[in-house]
Amino acid sequence: MSKYIPVIGLEVHCELKSNSKNFSTGKNGNGDVNTNLSVVDIGYPGILPCVNKEAVKKSIMVALALNSTVPEKLTFDRKNYYYPDLPKGYQITQLHDPVGVNGSIKIDCNGVTKEIKIHDIHLEEDAASMEHFSDVSLINYNRAGVPLLELVTEPCIESPEEAVAFLEEMRRIYQYADISEADTKKGQIRCDVNVSIMDKDSNELGTKVEVKNVNSFGNVYETIKYEIERQSKLKDEGRYDEVVQETRRFDEETGTTIRMRTKADAIDYKYFVEPNIPKFKIDSNLVEEIKKCIPVLPNERKIKYINEYGLSEYDANIIIKNKEYADYFEECVSLGMDKKIVANYLIVQIIAYLNKEAISLNEFYLKPNLLNQIISELEKGNISSKQAKDIFNKALEEEKEPKNFISKDNAQISDSNELTIIIDNILKNNTSQVEAYKGGKTNLFDYFVGQVMKETRGKANPSLTKEILKDKLDN
Ligand code: ADP
Ligand code: MG
């Protein structure tokens, strides 16, 4: 056990889905380099920002979904600094009246539930993106002005595992609320990671180091792990004064962090209220309206799956991990399929298939109505679970409706009259085995089951077969 308690706070930026930019009519979305921009985004003289109502609504939705307090009025502030990816010379953000304060997210980490406190959530704009080459840097202004939601946690995270659990839950909520794809691979989520350590018996926070722009959850994990080790080692060696308040970056190649600038070089942003955007009131009716539009979030769905549908926590966790899975599952249930059978199919067959083919559930051929053709026959006992799997695979392979592969002649025999006739015949032809069984050799039971399967070429319903056999042999 380490002598120190790690203290971690995250600042997470997420690009919002919207038609246009946060303060202009420039398009937010894919496009050729330097085509999605307006004069506002590239900082022409005399420009005036215009607030994107959709982005404000989405931000309020997130604030509410994360149990935050939404203020009665919103203001925007100017954060002044010069950088080539920021042509206006300032970023419009929120310092004084952010869209949400005092929020929280519940996470499950190593079997323990913990509430992570959120200091605030604020709406701002993204900068342009740059690509650096040996002798030239290129700037693409398509990203300049894209609505960006920044979430700032309190310094209450204590391990890299908790940090990742938090980020995953946050991303799920964003995806369920449909405010962003929240795809780290597309650069839609970027994270500043603050790390310090403190003595076990102290309640005074240590000196924090900020690691900027970490671009994947895996790298957030590595960053925190590395920083805890680095700071602990310095402290162990009596060199804690070398841990200074500074900004570092994560180096993927070495798995270490590298100093960028110290506090002495810290930038003074000279914030002031953005004079070109009036303070505006958030009507309580609007807040109520948005509240009603928040979809059922992952945690609520999980509770329903466990308590109402009788799924195990393990299965429920897999299904809610991805909104597509949860939506698919619920559509199946609404078609009347057995909840446990569907959950099992989704987890064992479907997700494995998606992983193997590297496709998403949206691209999966067997939509719930098609899967139903298999599951309903399975539930009626017309086909065995082995046959169901074969039909599932054939339907996928040939992209043909499963019903094409369910024929009378491979149907399972679940008619007890029909099975009784077959079983009576078998017992009549195996009198010596029947004698032996009745004399105590009860392990012959499987022999009789085998005979029935042989006779029916595997189509006899196994549980019904056993039931009839037991009845005949034991009475
Ligand atoms: P700054 O003034 O340097 O921006 P803030 O207090 O605004 O610092 O916090 C920025 C982020 O750093 C927040 O996510 C916060 O939780 C985190 N943080 C603050 N103090 C510490 C600390 N001692 N150790 C780790 N993280 C911290
Ligand atoms: Mg910011």
Side-chain angles (χ1 to χ4, degrees):
M1 276 301 262
S2 163
K3 289 179 289 203
Y4 313 120
I5 302 173
V7 175
I8 299 142
L10 301 173
E11 296 163 90
V12 197
H13 295 90
C14 179
E15 286 179 356
L16 294 180
K17 257 185 210 173
S18 65
N19 293 325
S20 56
K21 303 271 176 86
N22 211 6
F23 302 106
S24 81
T25 54
K27 181 185 162 204
N28 174 17
N30 298 329
D32 290 339
V33 170
N34 288 323
T35 54
N36 294 346
L37 39 88
S38 79
V39 288
V40 174
D41 308 322
I42 42 177
Y44 275 28
I47 50 167
L48 287 172
C50 176
V51 180
N52 183 332
K53 194 170 173 187
E54 206 48 47
V56 171
K57 281 188 181 169
K58 286 201 162 101
S59 310
I60 294 175
M61 184 182 275
V62 172
L64 294 170
L66 303 186
N67 314 303
S68 310
T69 306
V70 176
E72 284 173 15
K73 58 177 176 32
L74 281 192
T75 53
F76 287 90
D77 301 272
R78 264 192 206 188
K79 179 178 178 178
N80 300 282
Y81 65 97
Y82 171 78
Y83 203 68
D85 67 5
L86 191 75
K88 293 201 300 286
Y90 58 85
Q91 177 196 34
I92 304 179
T93 178
Q94 292 189 298
L95 183 68
H96 296 105
D97 304 300
V99 69
V101 293
N102 295 331
S104 66
I105 291 183
K106 273 209 187 79
I107 60 161
D108 283 323
C109 186
N110 300 328
V112 182
T113 304
K114 177 170 171 175
E115 190 174 82
I116 304 293
K117 300 237 178 280
I118 297 165
H119 180 273
D120 77 82
I121 299 161
H122 55 266
L123 179 59
E124 53 186 33
E125 54 180 337
D126 210 344
S129 50
M130 294 180 64
E131 236 185 306
H132 304 284
F133 299 91
S134 57
D135 56 347
V136 67
S137 291
L138 301 178
I139 310 179
N140 180 355
Y141 290 103
N142 284 355
R143 204 178 71 184
V146 164
L148 201 61
L149 194 65
E150 178 171 348
L151 176 159
V152 182
T153 75
E154 296 290 353
C156 63
I157 298 168
E158 290 178 37
S159 68
E161 289 81 10
E162 275 184 23
V164 171
F166 172 82
L167 290 170
E168 284 178 344
E169 183 64 13
M170 180 210 75
R171 173 166 60 189
R172 265 196 290 279
I173 293 171
Y174 286 8
Q175 288 170 342
Y176 274 70
D178 198 29
I179 60 111
S180 173
E181 280 176 73
D183 188 343
T184 46
K185 288 193 207 83
K186 294 185 187 162
Q188 291 166 337
I189 293 192
R190 280 156 274 148
C191 199
D192 300 341
V193 183
N194 300 273
V195 186
S196 67
I197 55 170
M198 63 190 227
D199 289 315
K200 275 238 150 81
D201 44 17
S202 159
N203 43 28
E204 201 178 311
L205 291 179
T207 306
K208 81 168 160 119
V209 161
E210 182 189 36
V211 185
K212 277 260 179 225
N213 266 325
V214 185
N215 62 6
S216 74
F217 295 176
N219 285 348
V220 169
Y221 185 95
E222 296 301 326
T223 296
I224 296 171
K225 193 163 156 267
Y226 177 79
E227 270 306 310
I228 294 172
E229 279 164 18
R230 185 181 74 87
Q231 295 176 23
S232 301
K233 185 158 177 282
L234 286 171
K235 199 158 182 160
D236 283 342
E237 292 169 357
R239 295 160 59 199
Y240 192 58
D241 58 340
E242 288 176 39
V243 177
V244 293
Q245 203 171 325
E246 63 185 2
T247 303
R248 300 173 76 90
R249 66 177 176 85
F250 179 70
D251 182 60
E252 234 172 24
E253 249 155 59
T254 55
T256 63
T257 64
I258 295 165
R259 170 179 296 165
M260 290 166 73
R261 57 175 182 266
T262 58
K263 187 147 197 224
D265 319 309
I267 309 158
D268 178 355
Y269 295 110
K270 301 274 191 255
Y271 281 97
F272 60 83
V273 173
E274 166 60 51
N276 290 329
I277 300 176
K279 188 183 274 192
F280 59 94
K281 202 173 161 244
I282 307 277
D283 198 301
S284 59
N285 291 333
L286 178 71
V287 174
E288 284 311 308
E289 211 177 282
I290 295 172
K291 223 178 230 166
K292 282 192 214 127
C293 298
I294 302 176
V296 185
L297 296 172
N299 212 29
E300 288 170 72
R301 294 203 198 190
K302 177 172 146 184
I303 291 167
K304 180 169 150 191
Y305 297 170
I306 296 171
N307 295 345
E308 286 178 36
Y309 293 179
L311 301 192
S312 69
E313 186 170 354
Y314 180 84
D315 288 356
N317 271 331
I318 296 179
I319 296 174
I320 60 143
K321 217 174 176 68
N322 188 320
K323 181 168 184 281
E324 279 189 347
Y325 298 169
D327 287 345
Y328 185 95
F329 173 68
E330 289 183 20
E331 198 178 332
C332 288
V333 170
S334 76
L335 291 174
M337 291 181 236
D338 181 90
K339 299 169 184 85
K340 285 191 186 166
I341 295 179
V342 171
N344 194 47
Y345 247 79
L346 180 59
I347 293 166
V348 182
Q349 311 286 332
I350 300 178
I351 296 177
Y353 180 85
L354 300 178
N355 289 338
K356 191 176 101 221
E357 302 288 322
I359 57 169
S360 73
L361 195 47
N362 274 331
E363 303 163 277
F364 181 63
Y365 172 68
L366 291 175
K367 300 284 176 249
N369 64 322
L370 295 184
L371 185 72
N372 195 22
Q373 294 178 359
I374 305 175
I375 303 292
S376 61
E377 293 298 304
L378 180 66
E379 278 181 50
K380 280 186 238 154
N382 292 342
I383 55 172
S384 68
S385 51
K386 160 109 186 30
Q387 287 171 329
K389 268 178 219 164
D390 291 343
I391 294 164
F392 175 88
N393 289 329
K394 275 196 200 133
L396 280 176
E397 204 174 295
E398 299 183 26
E399 298 216 335
K400 279 199 189 127
E401 292 198 20
K403 65 179 183 209
N404 293 309
F405 305 101
I406 302 171
S407 63
K408 279 247 157 2
D409 74 28
N410 65 18
Q412 178 165 281
I413 304 170
S414 293
D415 182 295
S416 61
N417 291 333
E418 195 179 340
L419 273 179
T420 303
I421 295 168
I422 294 167
I423 288 170
D424 281 341
N425 247 325
I426 286 169
L427 297 182
K428 214 163 65 196
N429 295 333
N430 290 278
T431 45
S432 59
Q433 283 86 346
V434 173
E435 291 287 294
Y437 179 91
K438 292 195 166 164
K441 284 191 85 180
T442 51
N443 57 359
L444 274 168
F445 189 77
D446 290 341
Y447 166 80
F448 296 114
V449 176
Q451 291 300 306
V452 177
M453 288 302 165
K454 197 169 152 203
E455 181 65 28
T456 60
R457 280 173 297 146
K459 287 186 294 189
N461 178 322
S463 57
L464 193 55
T465 300
K466 285 179 192 162
E467 204 178 292
I468 298 171
L469 270 171
K470 270 221 142 55
D471 192 52
K472 301 257 169 208
L473 289 166
D474 294 348
N475 296 327

